[in-house]
């Protein structure tokens, strides 16, 4: 079992920045972030393998950057130029198999952290 602990959410005005962090209780082959806005389906935002390969949703490319500290089993999501449509509950995810890194089938989920962007 892997425990995921998220931090860094909050409220910001459009154009602002936030950084999310997620610490895993042990090594995972890949980690990432999903989000779910009210009335919308949950969607993948960004994923990263321990080798460094990344994957982003088209809606966040050029604005969000995912990174990791493998020594700390921690992943970060730097979110710049935030827009009201980025408002959602953000979930940290993880998997222990590289095969599933860039699928919509994470094995572990955090509890979620709120990001609110006002216009």
């Amino acid at each position: 079992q892997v425990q995921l602990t998220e931090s860094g959410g909050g409220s910001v005005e459009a154009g602002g920045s936030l950084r999310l962090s997620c610490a895993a209780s042990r090594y995972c082959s890949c980690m990432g972030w999903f989000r779910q806005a009210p009335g919308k389906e949950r969607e993948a935002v960004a994923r990263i393998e321990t080798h460094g390969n990344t994957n982003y949703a088209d809606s966040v490319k050029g604005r969000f950057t995912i990174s990791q500290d493998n020594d700390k089993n921690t992943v970060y999501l730097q979110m710049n130029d935030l827009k009201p449509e980025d408002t959602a509950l953000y979930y940290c995810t993880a998997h222990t198999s590289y095969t599933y890194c860039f699928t919509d089938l994470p094995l572990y989920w955090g509890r979620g952290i709120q990001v609110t962007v006002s216009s």
Side-chain angles (χ1 to χ4, degrees):
Q1 191 72 10
V2 174
Q3 305 298 324
L4 300 174
T5 304
E6 302 134 326
S7 61
S11 298
V12 66
E13 292 185 351
S17 299
L18 285 173
R19 188 173 88 149
L20 304 182
S21 300
C22 175
S25 57
R26 66 175 179 89
Y27 171 84
C28 296
S29 301
C30 45
M31 296 180 70
W33 298 89
F34 280 62
R35 69 185 180 186
Q36 188 165 22
K40 295 187 177 181
E41 293 187 356
R42 193 158 49 190
E43 63 173 347
V45 177
R47 279 79 63 85
I48 187 167
E49 294 176 334
T50 53
H51 300 315
N53 295 318
T54 59
N55 177 272
Y56 292 93
D58 288 341
S59 59
V60 307
K61 285 180 181 176
R63 301 187 298 120
F64 291 13
T65 302
I66 190 168
S67 60
Q68 62 191 354
D69 184 334
N70 290 334
D71 291 338
K72 296 180 179 179
N73 298 326
T74 299
V75 66
Y76 307 96
L77 185 67
Q78 179 65 44
M79 305 183 292
N80 298 328
D81 190 23
L82 282 160
K83 303 177 180 182
E85 52 263 42
D86 295 316
T87 295
L89 192 60
Y90 284 69
Y91 295 91
C92 178
T93 62
H95 210 296
T96 52
S97 170
Y98 288 109
T99 301
Y100 295 94
C101 280
F102 299 139
T103 69
D104 289 341
L105 301 170
L107 188 57
Y108 301 104
W109 292 80
R111 298 181 64 178
I113 191 165
Q114 182 67 37
V115 170
T116 302
V117 184
S118 59
S119 58

